[in-house]
Amino acid sequence: MPSDLDLPTDGEWRMVESYLPVLVFIVMALGLGVLLMALGFILAPRNPDDEKLSPYECGFEAFEDSRMQFDVRYYLVAILFIIFDLEIAFLFPWAIVLEQIGLFGFGSMAVFVGLLLVGFLYEWKKGALEWE
Amino acid sequence: MAQLWELSLIMIQITALIIPVLLTVALMTVAERKIIGKMQLRQGPNRVGLNGWLQPIADVLKLIMKEAVLPSSASKGLFIVAPLLSIMPALAAWAVLPVAEGWVIADVNAGLLYVLAMASLGVYGVIVAGWASNSKYALLGAMRAGAQVVSYEIAMGFALVGVLMAAGSLNISAIVEAQAGPIWNWFWLPLLPLFLVYWISGVAETNRLPFDVAEGESEIVAGFHVEYSGIAFAIFFLAEYANMVLISGLAAIMFLGGWYSPVHGLPLIGPALAWVPGVIWFGLKTSFFLFCYIWFRGTFPRYRYDQIMRLGWKVLIPVTVVWLIVESVFVITGFGPWF
C-alpha cells in the first residue's frame, strides 16, 4: 500500500502525460517502417540463389571475412565523441539558467570547459585528429 | 473510453503531420532530380504523370515490388531491424516540432533534448546496417558514416546550446517565440557563426554532398546500404530524405523564426501579411533549406575524408566553443539588443 507521498502529484502527472504523444509518435513511426517492410516482403518475389546471396565485392568471390580490422582512429573519434557529447549534456541546463546564475555559473563552467579544452588540445597536438 | 478517444485524437494528429512530411520527402526526391537536371542542362524526369512529378510514386511502387535480398552471411535479425532503426528517429523527432503557433503534437519542456536524442539515434541504423550486412564495403561505409556523423553532432550540439542560451528555454515553441519579430530579430543574425556551423553540420549529419564520402559511389559503391535492395533500400532512402527535411525544419525553427513572417511586428506591412498562416512561412523556410541541399549537391565537389574530419574537429568545434564563450559573456552582461 503506497503512501500518498509516493504518488506523483497532479503537476508531475501532467508533465508525464505531455510525453504520451511522443511515445505514440515513436510507435507509429516504427509501425510505418514495419508496415512498409511487411508490404515489401509480401508483394516482392523471392527466388534466392547462392550467387545472389553472397556478399557484394565487385563481382569477385569474397576474399576473407568482412568483419576485418579497422583503423583505431574510429575508436578515438568515438571516445572523444562521448566526452564532448556529455559536455553538451551538461551545457544544456547551464545555458538555460545562465542569466540567473550569473558570473559564478559562468566561472564554474569556464573551469570545467577549460579542463576539457586542455585535453582536446593535447589530443590535437598528439595527432589523434589527423587523418591522412 | 475517454482515454481511447484521446489516443485516437493523438493518432489522427500524428497522421496529419506524418503525411505532409512524407509528401515533402517524395517531392524532394523528384525536385532534386529536376533541379540537378536543370543545373546540368538536362531535363530530369519528365515522363511519369504531370511533367514527371509522379515519379516518386512510381519509384516506391517499383521498389516495393522488387526482391529484397537477404544475404546468406548477414546477421539476419539485425539486417532487418536496421532500416527501421533509421526511419524511426527521422520521423519521430517531428513529435516536438511546432509547424505553426500551437500546432505541435507534444509541447514538452525538454523538446530540444528530445530532438537531439533522436538525431543521435539515427547513427545506430547506419552502424547496425553496415555491421549486419557482413560485407566489406558496407562495413567501411558504416565506420566512415558513423565517425562523421558523431563528429558533426558535437558541433551541432554546441550550436544548439547557443540557441538555448539566447532563448532561455528547451521548449521548442518557446524558442520560436523568443524570436518574435521581423527578420533581423531571428537568431540567424545574432548567432550567425552558430547558424553557419549548424547548417554545415546538418549537411554533414545527413551524409549529403559535399560530405558524402560515406556513400562515395566511386570508391565504396554505396556505403552502408550496399547489400540492401527492394523495400529495405527504399526505407533507407526515405530515412535519408526525411532526415534532410528534419534538419531543414529544425534550421527554420532554431534560426529563422519558425512560423513568424519576415515582416512580423512591423507597422503597415506586418498587419498586411498577417493573414498568411504560420505553417506557410514555416514551409517556405524549410523549402529554402531543402533547396540549399540540392544547390550544394549541384555545385560543390566532394570533400576528402581527412578534410571532412579536419573541418569538423579543428574548425567547427573551436569556432562554436569560442562563440559560446562570447555569447555567455553577452548574456551575463546583458550586452546588445538581442541578449
Side-chain angles (χ1 to χ4, degrees):
Chain A
M1 184 78 191
S3 70
D4 287 338
L5 287 174
D6 296 327
L7 291 172
T9 62
D10 205 37
E12 278 170 346
W13 257 125
R14 224 167 299 133
M15 199 207 71
V16 174
E17 237 180 44
S18 69
Y19 282 88
L20 177 69
V22 173
L23 189 69
V24 179
F25 207 126
I26 291 177
V27 172
M28 279 183 72
L30 264 181
L32 180 79
V34 172
L35 184 82
L36 277 174
M37 280 292 243
L39 215 60
F41 276 92
I42 293 166
L43 291 178
R46 284 183 68 76
N47 30 21
D49 62 62
D50 274 2
E51 292 302 314
K52 196 192 272 178
L53 295 187
S54 65
Y56 173 72
E57 228 174 285
C58 290
F60 292 104
E61 302 276 325
F63 277 120
E64 52 195 80
D65 187 27
S66 4
R67 283 165 187 171
M68 53 196 176
Q69 294 177 329
F70 51 81
D71 205 319
V72 71
R73 275 176 298 201
Y74 290 112
Y75 278 117
L76 277 180
V77 167
I79 291 168
L80 271 178
F81 164 72
I82 290 175
I83 297 169
F84 273 90
D85 216 33
L86 267 178
E87 185 187 344
I88 290 170
F90 282 131
L91 280 174
F92 263 51
W94 171 81
I96 291 173
V97 295
L98 182 60
E99 256 169 299
Q100 284 101 318
I101 54 181
L103 258 179
F104 176 71
F106 177 73
S108 37
M109 191 46 92
V111 172
F112 177 66
V113 174
L115 281 175
L116 248 149
L117 284 186
V118 171
F120 181 61
L121 279 178
Y122 176 74
E123 200 88 45
W124 187 328
K125 288 291 163 217
K126 270 281 177 188
L129 304 175
E130 304 294 336
W131 297 71
E132 68 284 316
Chain B
M1 197 60 213
Q3 279 100 333
L4 207 66
W5 169 241
E6 197 181 337
L7 194 68
S8 43
L9 195 70
I10 292 172
M11 286 174 79
I12 291 168
Q13 284 176 335
I14 293 172
T15 318
L17 181 67
I18 285 190
I19 288 176
V21 170
L22 290 181
L23 278 180
T24 314
V25 168
L27 278 180
M28 176 72 185
T29 58
V30 62
E32 171 167 41
R33 292 165 66 184
K34 273 180 167 295
I35 293 170
I36 296 263
K38 293 284 188 294
M39 283 178 177
Q40 296 167 348
L41 303 179
R42 298 183 283 114
Q43 282 292 313
N46 63 353
R47 284 285 178 270
V48 188
L50 244 170
N51 211 5
W53 284 102
L54 290 182
Q55 185 70 41
I57 314 257
D59 287 344
V60 166
L61 283 180
K62 187 196 81 175
L63 281 169
I64 287 182
M65 306 301 282
K66 290 282 177 187
E67 177 173 2
V69 177
L70 203 62
S72 51
S73 55
S75 318
K76 304 276 185 313
L78 287 177
F79 190 81
I80 292 172
V81 165
L84 304 180
L85 275 182
S86 69
I87 186 79
M88 187 274 278
L91 290 178
W94 281 93
V96 295
L97 296 196
V99 292
E101 193 159 14
W103 289 19
V104 51
I105 305 276
D107 197 16
V108 298
N109 282 332
L112 191 55
L113 204 59
Y114 170 76
V115 168
L116 217 63
M118 280 296 145
S120 312
L121 274 184
V123 75
Y124 279 99
V126 172
I127 293 280
V128 169
W131 177 257
S133 297
N134 205 352
S135 154
K136 292 191 187 71
Y137 291 117
L139 184 70
L140 283 175
M143 297 315 291
R144 285 188 186 186
Q148 176 184 334
V149 169
V150 298
S151 303
Y152 279 87
E153 206 171 288
I154 298 170
M156 182 184 256
F158 274 131
L160 292 182
V161 167
V163 174
L164 286 186
M165 216 186 281
S169 175
L170 270 170
N171 181 307
I172 297 191
S173 299
I175 291 176
V176 177
E177 273 152 20
Q179 306 176 59
I183 189 163
W184 54 83
N185 255 23
W186 302 345
F187 285 154
W188 70 273
L189 190 56
L191 305 178
L192 190 60
L194 295 184
F195 172 51
L196 295 178
V197 168
Y198 169 85
W199 181 237
I200 294 169
S201 327
V203 175
E205 277 260 295
T206 42
N207 288 321
R208 294 291 299 182
L209 276 142
F211 305 110
D212 76 328
V213 288
E215 290 193 18
E217 287 94 344
S218 48
E219 26 183 316
I220 48 171
V221 209
F224 64 91
H225 57 44
V226 64
E227 296 290 346
Y228 284 87
S229 58
I231 190 67
F233 168 76
I235 293 179
F236 272 119
F237 197 74
L238 200 68
E240 184 184 335
Y241 280 78
N243 264 324
M244 284 157 64
V245 178
L246 174 70
I247 295 284
S248 304
L250 265 179
I253 284 173
M254 299 294 160
F255 295 98
L256 283 195
W259 61 76
Y260 288 113
S261 85
V263 291
H264 180 85
L266 291 185
L268 289 177
I269 189 162
L273 280 178
W275 57 272
V276 182
V279 65
I280 301 277
W281 292 116
F282 176 71
L284 282 177
K285 290 166 187 174
T286 308
S287 312
F288 166 72
F289 286 110
L290 285 174
F291 178 75
C292 284
Y293 265 115
I294 302 172
W295 194 7
F296 293 165
R297 181 170 174 188
T299 45
F300 286 140
R302 179 183 293 149
Y303 266 54
R304 268 200 334 257
Y305 196 69
D306 61 316
Q307 293 171 325
I308 291 182
M309 295 311 262
R310 192 172 64 218
L311 179 69
W313 285 99
K314 297 188 173 174
V315 179
L316 296 189
I317 291 177
V319 164
T320 44
V321 170
V322 168
W323 188 253
L324 277 187
I325 295 169
V326 172
E327 194 190 339
S328 53
V329 171
F330 280 0
V331 168
I332 288 172
T333 55
F335 172 86
W338 293 301
F339 299 107

